[in-house]
């Protein structure tokens, strides 16, 4: 009877497993090990002889199969780090990127004490939750047209014990009232962009925009003024080669003090403008 039973993978060690998956990005594999074994990255590196049981091997094998299929490690793990916080992610939302932390930084700089911030197209809620976590004095609202994304965002807000007012809306259509700051990371990649194949597992509606990637940026610029308090700011993330066009659209739309800030890679990443002064 024993011969008919399916055999589980033979036990191995952390070091042996890492050597066996050397074709995959080392950092991604270390993340998988940390999750499967419940250890820190420092422990993984310091104790390569740590044994891996059969059940853990089976989970790791499934995870590496997903990596080889091109699924981003954040989706395999189910989370991503942003603003030193851990956020749940799924294929319903974009994976938060380090460069988007610039939007959080700018919103924190520009929003007065006791002010209000609106995050348009919140996705995982990373921007809104990071702002609310850092500035509990600020009233934070966030919208997304995807109810599935809003569910993820709400869980992230609950995880970090912050209050964010969530609403289903296609940009500002379902909203009333004014905010001191509106922040938005809209779709801005043009259809046919050579970077898109590498992003095929992420929601395309949150990445791709018509008019060479400018359609949603233009929509937010046009719709935002009635929702900004006098002297309020609109902050937009955009592509590496779109800053000049976004500045022009904002200036044509009546915004003042329009300028662009660079991210840590020294790329023009966010453009902002003031309304009503």
């Amino acid at each position: 009877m024993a011969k008919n039973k399916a055999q589980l993978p033979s036990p191995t060690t952390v070091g042996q497993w890492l050597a066996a998956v050397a074709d995959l990005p080392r950092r991604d594999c270390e993340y998988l090990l940390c999750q499967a074994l419940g250890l820190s990255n420092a422990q993984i590196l310091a104790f390569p002889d740590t044994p891996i049981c059969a059940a853990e091997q089976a989970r790791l094998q499934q995870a590496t199969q997903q990596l080889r299929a091109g699924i981003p490690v954040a989706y395999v793990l189910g989370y991503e780090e942003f603003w030193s916080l851990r956020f749940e992610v799924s294929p319903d939302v974009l994976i938060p990127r380090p460069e988007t932390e610039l939007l959080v930084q700018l919103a924190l700089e520009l929003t007065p004490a006791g002010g209000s911030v609106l995050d348009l197209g919140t996705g995982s809620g990373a921007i809104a939750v990071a702002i609310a976590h850092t500035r509990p004095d600020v009233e934070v609202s966030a919208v997304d047209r995807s109810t599935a994304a809003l569910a993820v965002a709400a869980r992230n807000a609950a995880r970090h014990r912050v209050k964010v007012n969530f609403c289903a809306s296609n940009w500002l259509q379902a909203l009333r009232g004014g905010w001191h700051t509106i922040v938005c990371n809209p779709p801005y990649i043009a259809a046919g962009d050579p970077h898109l194949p590498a992003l095929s597992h992420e929601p395309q509606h949150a990445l791709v925009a018509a008019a060479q990637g400018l359609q949603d940026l233009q929509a937010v610029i046009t719709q935002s003024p009635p929702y900004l308090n006098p002297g309020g700011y609109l902050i937009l993330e955009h592509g590496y080669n779109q800053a000049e066009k976004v500045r022009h659209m904002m200036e044509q739309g009546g915004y003042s003090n329009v300028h662009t800030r660079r991210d840590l890679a020294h790329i023009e990443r966010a453009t902002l403008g003031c309304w009503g002064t």
Side-chain angles (χ1 to χ4, degrees):
M1 292 179 66
K3 292 182 180 180
N4 294 328
K5 291 182 179 179
Q7 293 185 351
L8 292 172
S10 301
T12 186
T13 65
V14 163
Q16 291 169 346
W17 185 83
L18 285 171
V21 294
D23 59 305
L24 294 171
R26 171 73 178 227
R27 191 67 171 169
D28 290 355
C29 293
E30 290 174 1
Y31 287 144
L32 296 180
L33 279 171
C34 290
Q35 185 181 66
L37 277 61
L39 300 175
S40 69
N41 195 64
Q43 290 172 314
I44 293 294
L45 298 176
F47 303 106
D49 293 331
T50 301
I52 304 175
C53 73
E56 292 164 345
Q57 278 198 65
R59 289 196 294 272
L60 287 166
Q61 182 178 6
Q62 182 180 20
T64 53
Q65 286 174 346
Q66 291 176 296
L67 286 185
R68 289 193 172 98
I71 297 175
V73 67
Y75 288 156
V76 178
L77 295 169
Y79 68 84
E80 181 60 276
E81 302 288 334
F82 180 85
W83 201 254
S84 300
L85 301 170
R86 178 169 291 188
F87 286 88
E88 174 191 338
V89 294
S90 76
D92 292 313
V93 301
L94 292 181
I95 299 167
R97 264 68 174 186
E99 57 266 27
T100 301
E101 292 186 356
L102 177 59
L103 297 188
V104 177
Q105 177 187 335
L106 291 172
L108 294 173
E109 290 177 6
L110 295 169
T111 306
S116 56
V117 177
L118 173 63
D119 176 23
L120 291 177
T122 193
S124 67
I127 295 171
V129 171
I131 294 169
H133 189 270
T134 308
R135 289 278 302 277
D137 64 294
V138 171
E139 180 181 355
V140 181
S141 301
V143 304
D144 203 291
R145 67 180 183 179
S146 166
T147 55
L150 286 172
V152 174
R155 290 195 293 272
N156 281 320
R159 174 190 181 94
H160 295 294
R161 300 180 180 181
V162 298
K163 181 181 179 182
V164 178
N165 305 310
F166 292 106
C167 175
S169 179
N170 185 11
W171 298 135
L172 294 130
Q173 290 178 3
L175 302 179
R176 294 181 180 179
W179 282 269
H180 293 95
T181 308
I182 296 176
V183 61
C184 182
N185 178 15
Y188 56 72
I189 300 177
D193 187 284
H195 299 94
L196 279 176
L199 304 170
S200 62
H201 291 277
E202 299 190 58
Q204 297 300 291
H205 70 268
L207 289 168
V208 182
Q212 291 76 52
L214 298 172
Q215 179 174 281
D216 289 293
L217 285 159
Q218 181 67 77
V220 173
I221 290 169
T222 302
Q223 293 177 26
S224 291
Y227 299 88
L228 281 167
N229 291 337
Y233 273 86
L234 172 64
I235 307 168
L236 295 170
E237 180 173 324
H238 49 70
Y240 70 97
N241 59 351
Q242 295 173 326
E244 183 176 356
K245 292 178 181 177
V246 174
R247 287 194 297 270
H248 177 73
M249 290 190 294
M250 293 188 80
E251 289 166 352
Q252 290 294 107
Y255 295 82
S256 62
N257 192 26
V258 175
H259 60 285
T260 300
R261 294 278 290 270
R262 296 177 183 269
D263 62 20
L264 292 176
H266 207 59
I267 294 169
E268 291 188 315
R269 181 61 60 189
T271 295
L272 54 154
C274 181
W275 182 258
T277 59

